[in-house]
Amino acid sequence: MSGLNIEEMIACYGDDILRLCLLYLGDRQLAEDAFQETFVKAWKGRDAFRGESSEKTWLSRIAVNTCRDMLRSGWFRLMKRSEPVEALFDLAAPQEPDAVPVRDAVLALPGKYREVIVLYYDRDMKLGEIAETLHLPVNTVSTRLRRARALLKKALGEEVDA
């Protein structure tokens, strides 16, 4: 790793990782748990970081895998969400009222499509970085992104026509 200590890692990447966890899990308390777990895993595994990707991509991969693990757990399925979906964007800059339908449409996407949309548009990752983060071929990421855009277009088109 580039020699960052844990405080510097959190200062550099903390907001991005927390926002990613919020969007992935849809629950603030769970996202905070995933955030903490991500940085604990990163700190413990810092010697294994080979520099083959950026620190941002590496941390995002850990965060996504942590969130996936949480979603798979039986405990998660029994949990009641702690906050409504609308509260997930507290970390974001104030949004235009026109952005609300887009946000809702993104959050309504199936997980495999939502994650590529969030990583591409919200995290500004390139297809190769997303592929590396999600352990998928670039073509799969490209296909998911294309399908996610089509689903969003359909959802937003129906909403606009209503």
Side-chain angles (χ1 to χ4, degrees), residues 11-152:
C12 263
Y13 306 108
D15 287 346
D16 290 341
I17 297 301
L18 181 56
R19 183 171 165 90
L20 174 62
C21 294
L22 280 167
L23 291 169
Y24 206 98
L25 294 170
D27 181 276
R28 181 149 186 110
Q29 290 175 341
L30 289 174
E32 289 171 354
D33 290 345
F35 168 87
Q36 184 176 14
E37 185 67 22
T38 296
F39 281 99
V40 167
K41 288 178 180 178
W43 186 251
K44 287 180 179 179
R46 67 190 180 280
D47 294 334
F49 179 67
R50 298 183 304 268
E52 294 171 359
S53 63
S54 69
E55 288 175 345
K56 176 183 170 183
T57 301
W58 181 67
L59 286 168
S60 295
R61 179 184 311 142
I62 294 169
V64 166
N65 288 336
T66 300
C67 291
R68 283 179 175 172
D69 290 345
M70 290 177 84
L71 288 172
R72 275 185 235 141
S73 75
W75 177 80
F76 177 83
R77 287 188 289 274
L78 296 174
M79 271 219 38
K80 181 179 177 191
R81 298 287 171 108
S82 65
E83 290 192 38
V85 167
E86 292 78 21
L88 296 179
F89 289 83
D90 289 345
L91 293 178
Q95 294 187 358
E96 301 287 326
D98 295 342
V100 172
V102 175
R103 177 200 65 202
D104 292 345
V106 168
L107 290 171
L109 289 172
K112 68 182 183 179
Y113 297 131
R114 183 176 58 242
E115 67 189 5
V116 295
I117 289 289
V118 168
L119 293 174
Y120 187 80
Y121 290 105
D122 193 60
R123 298 294 98 216
D124 295 322
M125 290 182 153
K126 295 180 179 5
L127 293 179
E129 292 176 310
I130 296 169
E132 194 173 326
T133 298
L134 300 177
H135 302 289
L136 295 170
V138 174
N139 287 340
T140 301
V141 171
S142 179
T143 299
R144 286 183 182 180
L145 188 58
R146 187 176 64 253
R147 289 178 182 164
R149 287 176 180 148
L151 289 169
L152 286 173

